[in-house]
Amino acid sequence: MGMPLEREEKHNASPPEDETGYYETRDFTELYDEYFDRVNRYLRCRVYNSWDADDLTTAVFLKALEKFDQYSRTRPFAAWIFRIAHNTFIDYIRKNREVPTEDKFLLSDEPDDTWQPEQQALSKETLATLLERLDRLTQDQRDVLSLRYFAELKISQVADVLGKTESSVKMIAYRGLQQLQKLYKEGDRNEGK
Amino acid sequence: MRENEHNGMDKRHDTTIAQLLTHLGHVRQAVPVNYKLKAELKQRLLEQMKQMQKQQQGAVPVKRSRRGLWWFGGGMIALSIAACMVFLPNDGLRLHEQTVLAIPAEETARQVSISPRGDRIAYLTDNARLHAYPVDHPEDKDLFSLPSTSGRYESVVWSNSSQRIAVLEQTEGASRLWMMQFNDGGGQASTQLLWEETGAQVADVSWSPDGRQIAYTKVKGDKAEVWINNLATYRENKLAEGSQPDWSSDGKRIAYVQDGVIQVADLTRGVTAKAASGTQPSWQSPDRFTYLSAEGRLMQARLNEQTGTFDTLAVPLYRGVSLKSAEWARDGKHLLVAKQTKQGIVFAVVRRE
């Protein structure tokens, strides 16, 4: 007995969906237009040198294009692109540790005209302070807080990127925030002396 | 309310989690996006997508070229220098005889490289050993043991510093570039992993003059491409389809082979010019390089600044002998050549006046 014709037509009418009903229909350039800002900002919040952050952003999207045929459209693109961004960042950190230290290029502070002059002094200092304090958290806490608040990912997406459970991500985020709060309090106290 | 909450941080009030979250949000919003990069990168991605589409529609297999050298058999291998004095019109390549040099062949070597100053030779053998010795004093040979890995060390490239040697390791599914610190005396090599490429084979590593970047051949399946990798920022860019890249000593040009033709990419102007038919380009100076013709003959290509084209001429070296390779030291004065003989492959260091 064959399948009812009605059901067959319905099957062919729309793209396959998973149980959540999610299906990404946009092409690569549309997704690029939407996600570039978030990825660039995320990497600029994680890397001291904004030139390096921009290079990493380029690397992320070149890799994404190369692997786009492997992207499963039934899963959120945000988690997929930020997994690439996170891994690219981790590789960068690892390689920075391995490149000979006499390479002063890594420590350059070249002028960056993307920062508005009036904002530059205050905002860069604020970001630098935050990065210094984040550096005192554990790697997991840094990764979770950065993906959650700089990349603006949901808990489920953070879990997807890091390969952890949602409950684990929630716990790490909670502890990370507690610790960060403590560091700010200590910092405020020391500055007040 | 939000402003007051933000000011809460500046006024050193006790920080609640809510204030902290607001602060994180404010910091994120304050970080600017590089919109200029966004536009430029989009153009680049669109071009890349076009290339990918063309390839999918009917890719032309790219010849896979590898610069590999082998020693055959054991015994003494003589390093001999061509005893020829050749003076070419237009002040071309003048070669001089150098002292005959002989080294024992203990293992089958895979790859040989000449140091930037042309004063040392390094060669890699099968059992993860690296031999290094001064050209003028081969008896002062240093033997290094490379770290044992699951892969196979396949080629060696002297970095621009005479104190470091890069070794390329191939494993199943990955290529790794290791940097070895060169210490007099040999022993266990001090190495560090510079970079790893998964899913492809890497060959023909060439250093930029500042030592911060490498150009190399990346092979996936039948496709060979020339890539540039910035080892400090991890930025990786595809230069072109092709293989055997060589970086000029002033950092402005990269010569590479594409379908049996040597192309020269001008990195400052962003243009590429066809130079000659041949393989294994090796820069002798910022405006000229040597290469091998299809018959293995040593040729020279010189940039004509006015026209932007390359004038080519044959180098009368080892007439009637087909060379396997010819590599200039960074100083542009010493040339390491390999030729096939009945005993195997003989290496010679030729000094340019």
Side-chain angles (χ1 to χ4, degrees):
Chain A
M1 292 185 65
M3 287 175 65
L5 190 60
E6 212 171 347
R7 187 181 297 174
E8 207 168 53
E9 281 176 353
K10 190 178 174 184
H11 178 74
N12 289 335
S14 58
E17 295 176 350
D18 67 352
E19 290 170 1
T20 63
Y22 182 90
Y23 188 81
E24 180 57 69
T25 55
R26 291 171 291 179
D27 66 13
F28 184 83
T29 45
E30 288 177 86
L31 292 166
Y32 170 81
D33 285 338
E34 177 175 333
Y35 281 91
F36 177 92
D37 295 18
R38 279 171 69 180
V39 170
N40 188 227
R41 206 175 258 137
Y42 163 72
L43 288 167
R44 279 174 162 232
C45 288
R46 293 216 73 176
V47 175
Y48 281 94
N49 185 320
S50 50
W51 285 79
D52 288 352
D54 290 346
D55 283 346
L56 292 178
T57 306
T58 301
V60 167
F61 283 100
L62 288 174
K63 273 187 211 173
L65 176 60
E66 196 180 323
K67 298 182 182 190
F68 194 62
D69 55 353
Q70 297 169 28
Y71 163 56
S72 165
R73 290 179 176 272
T74 56
R75 300 180 73 82
F77 184 78
W80 187 78
I81 193 71
F82 276 102
R83 181 181 296 194
I84 296 176
H86 172 75
N87 289 340
T88 302
F89 169 73
I90 294 298
D91 286 343
Y92 163 79
I93 293 296
R94 180 167 57 88
K95 277 164 181 59
N96 270 356
R97 277 199 289 268
E98 288 172 353
V99 172
T101 53
E102 61 265 25
D103 190 350
K104 302 274 189 295
F105 175 78
L106 290 173
L107 307 175
S108 69
D109 185 21
E110 299 170 38
D112 175 6
D113 59 9
T114 57
W115 290 78
Q116 295 303 314
E118 59 274 12
Q119 288 180 320
Q120 191 160 346
L122 179 63
S123 298
K124 273 189 149 180
E125 188 186 325
T126 307
L127 177 61
T129 303
L130 175 56
L131 290 182
E132 276 164 21
R133 286 173 182 166
L134 282 172
D135 273 348
R136 292 166 68 180
L137 304 182
T138 66
Q139 182 68 50
D140 274 349
Q141 287 169 352
R142 270 203 299 280
D143 289 342
V144 166
L145 293 185
S146 298
L147 287 167
R148 187 92 176 90
Y149 300 109
F150 295 152
E152 300 180 87
L153 295 184
K154 300 175 190 173
I155 292 282
S156 59
Q157 292 167 344
V158 174
D160 198 346
V161 168
L162 297 179
K164 295 182 185 302
T165 62
E166 287 187 33
S167 56
S168 175
V169 167
K170 283 180 192 168
M171 181 58 69
I172 294 169
Y174 174 75
R175 286 184 181 152
L177 285 172
Q178 293 276 329
Q179 185 62 18
L180 195 57
Q181 180 194 13
K182 199 170 145 190
L183 290 170
Y184 266 104
K185 270 190 189 171
E186 282 170 11
D188 292 347
R189 228 176 280 136
N190 289 337
E191 284 166 14
K193 283 182 182 171
Chain B
M1 180 66 172
R2 191 178 291 177
E3 191 178 341
N4 286 342
E5 285 173 350
H6 181 61
N7 287 337
M9 298 299 296
D10 298 329
K11 291 179 181 174
R12 284 103 167 100
H13 288 176
D14 281 345
T15 310
T16 65
I17 294 290
Q19 284 177 322
L20 182 57
L21 292 178
T22 305
H23 177 64
L24 293 177
H26 280 292
V27 170
R28 183 188 65 239
Q29 290 304 321
V31 172
V33 171
N34 190 337
Y35 289 108
K36 187 178 169 203
L37 171 66
K38 185 175 183 179
E40 288 170 353
L41 180 56
K42 186 167 182 180
Q43 285 309 312
R44 193 170 153 190
L45 290 169
L46 288 171
E47 278 166 23
Q48 195 143 326
M49 284 164 74
K50 278 184 203 164
Q51 282 185 6
M52 285 164 73
Q53 270 181 339
K54 276 186 198 170
Q55 284 167 10
Q56 280 167 5
Q57 282 162 8
V60 175
V62 177
K63 282 181 192 170
R64 179 176 172 169
S65 306
R66 293 184 68 179
R67 193 182 292 182
L69 304 168
W70 294 271
W71 290 99
F72 290 100
M76 300 290 289
I77 295 181
L79 267 187
S80 61
I81 309 301
C84 60
M85 290 276 291
V86 178
F87 183 80
L88 297 172
N90 302 320
D91 196 20
L93 184 64
R94 186 189 297 182
L95 307 169
H96 283 265
E97 180 178 302
Q98 198 167 338
T99 310
V100 172
L101 199 58
I103 59 167
E106 293 155 12
E107 302 281 349
T108 299
R110 294 255 178 101
Q111 180 71 20
V112 179
S113 180
I114 188 166
S115 66
R117 290 198 294 257
D119 58 346
R120 288 178 182 268
I121 297 291
Y123 71 95
L124 195 60
T125 57
D126 270 338
N127 55 351
R129 287 189 180 182
L130 184 80
H131 302 253
Y133 63 90
V135 170
D136 294 330
H137 298 281
E139 66 279 5
D140 294 340
K141 186 172 71 174
D142 291 323
L143 180 61
F144 298 91
S145 296
L146 297 170
S148 49
T149 69
S150 58
R152 188 178 72 243
Y153 293 105
E154 286 208 339
S155 63
V156 59
V157 180
W158 223 294
S159 76
N160 294 316
S161 155
S162 289
Q163 297 305 310
R164 292 198 193 127
I165 297 173
V167 182
L168 196 57
E169 179 205 350
Q170 305 286 2
T171 67
E172 200 171 314
S175 296
R176 296 193 189 107
L177 186 69
W178 297 87
M179 184 65 87
M180 195 197 92
Q181 189 72 29
F182 180 78
N183 301 313
D184 287 331
Q188 185 63 40
S190 166
T191 56
Q192 57 182 182
L193 178 66
L194 281 188
W195 159 73
E196 183 174 10
E197 176 75 36
T198 53
Q201 277 205 318
V202 167
D204 314 324
V205 171
S206 174
W207 290 89
S208 65
D210 61 8
R212 292 173 184 167
Q213 301 182 83
I214 53 170
Y216 54 94
T217 305
K218 188 195 294 192
V219 180
K220 270 189 186 179
D222 284 332
K223 195 166 73 167
E225 295 169 341
V226 176
W227 284 74
I228 297 174
N229 189 314
N230 185 316
L231 295 174
T233 66
Y234 193 57
R235 183 178 62 188
E236 197 181 18
N237 297 320
K238 177 181 162 182
L239 180 67
E241 289 180 6
S243 60
Q244 299 178 3
D246 194 50
W247 220 307
S248 64
S249 57
D250 62 357
K252 291 181 182 174
R253 297 181 182 89
I254 293 179
Y256 61 94
V257 180
Q258 187 181 71
D259 292 333
V261 174
I262 296 176
Q263 307 279 352
V264 176
D266 187 323
L267 303 176
T268 55
R269 291 167 51 221
V271 296
T272 299
K274 173 180 163 180
S277 293
T279 59
Q280 300 193 40
S282 179
W283 288 93
Q284 182 185 333
S285 64
D287 68 341
R288 70 188 74 178
F289 62 88
T290 55
Y291 63 96
L292 299 183
S293 70
E295 298 79 29
R297 192 166 180 193
L298 187 65
M299 306 287 289
Q300 183 188 66
R302 188 173 176 180
L303 174 66
N304 185 322
E305 291 279 1
Q306 289 174 342
T307 62
T309 58
F310 286 83
D311 303 320
T312 61
L313 52 88
V315 176
L317 177 64
Y318 296 115
R319 288 181 191 275
V321 176
S322 172
L323 292 179
K324 298 284 288 183
S325 71
E327 176 199 350
W328 284 98
R330 191 56 93 181
D331 68 355
K333 294 179 183 172
H334 298 83
L335 178 67
L336 179 68
V337 297
K339 55 175 182 148
Q340 184 79 50
T341 67
K342 287 180 184 171
Q343 290 76 34
I345 298 180
V346 171
F347 291 87
V349 174
V350 181
R351 195 176 72 204
R352 171 178 174 261
E353 186 177 69

